[in-house]
Amino acid sequence: MTESPAHNLPTCRFQSFSEPSNPAEVAPRVAALRKALAAQGLDGFIVPRADEHQGEYVPAHMARLAWLTGFTGSAGNAVVLTDKAVLIVDGRYTIQSAEQTDTQVVAPVKMEETPLERWIETNLPAGARLGYDPWLHTVDGVAKLEKAVAAAGGTLTAVSRNPVDALWSDRPAPPAAAVKAHRGDYAGETTASKLARIQEALTKGKVDALVISDPHALAWTFNIRGGDVEHTPLPLGYGIVPREGRPTVFLAPEKITNEAGDAIGAVGEIAPPAALERQLEALGKARAKVRLDQATAASALATLIRDAGGTPDAGADPIALMKARKNEAELNGTRAAHLRDGAAVVRYLSWLAREAPKGKLTEIDAVAALESERLKTGLLKDVSFTTIAGAGPNAALPHYRVTESSNRRLEPGIFLVDSGAQYEDGTTDITRTIAVGTPTAEMRDRYTRVLKGHLAISRVVFVKGTSGAQLDALARLPLWQAGLDFDHGTGHGVGSYLSVHEGPQRLSKLGTTPLEPGMILSNEPGYYKQGEYGIRIENLIVVEERKIAGGDRTIYGFETITWCPYERALIERSLLDAGEIAWIDAYHAQVWAKLSPQLEGEARAWLEAACRPL
């Protein structure tokens, strides 16, 4: 990267910095919704941030919550009653929700203090009819709503058409991205083999069919990828896999490339999305027991099966664990992606080290420069999520997204950049916290405590059957010892050219799934001092078996697959023990060995200095 001034930096191809909402539009839209509800005999309506698949990213035409309230975060629910309206969000979005909506019309509510069901139970008038769209809520979600509405003395009413849609005059068209075949050498397993394993699980579970409602599971099973949502190569659609016989994939035929169509057609049928309801009704008439994914299947699917005489069986989708355990081809692809991505990030950090001290760079400049380096690989398909690039107090917002109005200059202090890439052979996610100028003693202390927690996860060994919840405290202990903590999980699962946030594996207080070889997770403890600075350090890791001499149990540990040096200027060496120092030095030696052949000039010199032994 040249040392061109900030205003000559490239623009971003994969993300925008425009203001996502206009609070002035909220009042007339809420008023219009109330009028529409009254015409239908409803006293209120729930508007979740969701599509029919409960995806992390929703296509533009499904962004009803953002259209109504202005809120663009990744999780939330609005409830509009005749005399009040609320926007219920988790603690990540307390500030953002208040800034994006009209708080005189829609009151932001913190979910941790007042969950959706509790708010309904407390505020819904007796005798009121509360509407909901059954395609936007899961079976379990509707059961919770029914309980809350009943406690309030009201009636929960499913609508046949979402009332927001009729009001949304400039609603975008549904996505129409091409559905392509995923290369076999990246997938590592044929669709036929995957279907055989799925059908074996259905037989074991004594169910007659599985509805694939999670597009990630659909993409993995049939070795296809799409582009219907941001940052994740998903084709939005459904599948039905019978216990015996050929499956059916429900996708718009015009979206499917010839290669993908031939691959699907070799093992199953292709039907238009409108045919899904007919096939579910046919399963119901056959008195079939049909497994629905409790995490993603819409309540409407269960109703279609039940009303036709079948038995909907909400439970775990067997595909989730199969997809989480990466095979050797997927792991090799991911390792290759991280080597490529690591070199791009190092070139970027080298440039940042030269440019940031000049005081001219902004957060937007920094995001554009990083994307530019990844584009130079020639293999970047997309960023894997909207880059988090926070300077100073913005770094204290764990899920910060820079906009034109929030854009800050990189001034002396801390700059945090959390980013990732989608390559056909793998998905990356890395966070580095950078010192701009000379950091304070407190910053060095906090950074080193976060680093110690990060190293504790990197170095841990654990017995088979251990869950992420059992390991999560290791990342927090150095912070706890100083009376500190962070309010997000330590790590999430990661897919293979799929979602950067993949379940069911996770390092979190809520991570109950046992960790198994081949699972990819993030390792990202942090510390955030509101209004001043934030710190996070993230590598991706893979669960692998470890042999321990004299041991009599199956033991696992983590292989680190992210390659990029830590910030030396923020490390307080006196807080590290000999084992931690040795691990950092060994890691940096590997970073140098793996990345230096891809680098030259200033970037190579920067890396050599960054990888010196502590």
Side-chain angles (χ1 to χ4, degrees), residues 8 16 28 77 126 157 163 192 207 216 257 275 295-296 346 359 368 388 401 416 511 542 553 584 612:
N8 287 333
S16 167
N77 289 277
T157 304
V207 295
H216 304 85
T257 62
T296 65
V346 164
I388 299 168
R401 176 197 166 208
L416 184 154
V542 181
R553 298 291 183 96
I584 293 170
R612 295 192 320 272

Side-chain angles (χ1 to χ4, degrees), residues 95 363 390-398 400 408 411-414 442-443 527-535:
I95 297 173
E363 294 166 339
N394 288 344
L397 304 172
Y400 171 68
R408 293 180 63 93
E411 298 173 339
I414 273 179
E442 179 183 286
M443 290 174 179
Y527 172 74
Y528 311 92
K529 188 171 185 179
Q530 188 170 351
E532 296 193 30
Y533 63 88
I535 293 163

Side-chain angles (χ1 to χ4, degrees), residues 233-256:
L234 291 181
L236 295 182
Y238 292 89
I240 294 179
V241 180
R243 187 168 60 188
E244 298 178 351
R246 287 165 65 86
T248 302
V249 173
F250 300 89
L251 288 167
E254 64 271 15
K255 294 170 55 173
I256 303 174

Side-chain angles (χ1 to χ4, degrees), residues 103-319:
T103 57
Q104 298 299 309
V105 178
V106 178
V109 172
K110 195 172 181 179
M111 182 187 70
E112 291 85 351
E113 298 172 358
T114 310
L116 172 64
E117 293 80 12
R118 186 187 305 164
W119 190 92
I120 291 172
E121 184 175 340
T122 304
N123 291 276
L124 186 69
R129 297 179 71 230
L130 181 64
Y132 75 102
D133 184 338
W135 286 97
L136 304 181
H137 299 266
T138 64
V139 174
D140 288 349
V142 170
K144 293 177 182 177
L145 291 175
E146 287 175 336
K147 184 177 180 181
V149 170
T155 303
L156 186 66
T157 304
V159 298
S160 57
R161 185 183 178 193
N162 195 304
V164 171
D165 298 350
L167 304 173
W168 193 351
S169 59
D170 59 347
R171 187 182 181 198
V179 177
K180 302 177 181 179
H182 187 47
R183 281 174 45 175
D185 55 336
Y186 293 153
E189 183 179 7
T190 65
T191 299
S193 172
K194 292 176 179 180
L195 287 169
R197 289 203 283 147
I198 293 167
Q199 290 179 319
E200 182 181 353
L202 299 183
T203 300
K204 186 176 180 180
K206 298 180 180 179
V207 295
D208 299 302
L210 166 71
V211 175
I212 303 177
S213 52
D214 182 354
H216 304 85
L218 186 72
W220 179 86
T221 300
F222 292 94
N223 288 332
I224 54 177
R225 297 294 188 268
D228 285 340
V229 299
E230 291 182 300
H231 309 322
T232 307
L234 291 181
L236 295 182
Y238 292 89
I240 294 179
V241 180
R243 187 168 60 188
E244 298 178 351
R246 287 165 65 86
T248 302
V249 173
F250 300 89
L251 288 167
E254 64 271 15
K255 294 170 55 173
I256 303 174
T257 62
N258 290 337
E259 185 181 8
D262 290 345
I264 297 171
V267 294
E269 313 301 330
I270 300 173
L276 174 65
E277 294 188 20
R278 294 195 298 273
Q279 288 216 20
L280 291 176
E281 289 167 352
L283 285 168
K285 289 177 182 177
R287 299 293 189 267
K289 183 178 181 181
V290 183
R291 169 58 56 90
L292 298 176
D293 177 18
Q294 61 188 6
T296 65
S299 171
L301 299 173
T303 300
L304 286 165
I305 296 165
R306 186 184 301 109
D307 288 353
T311 303
D313 176 53
D317 181 349
I319 298 172

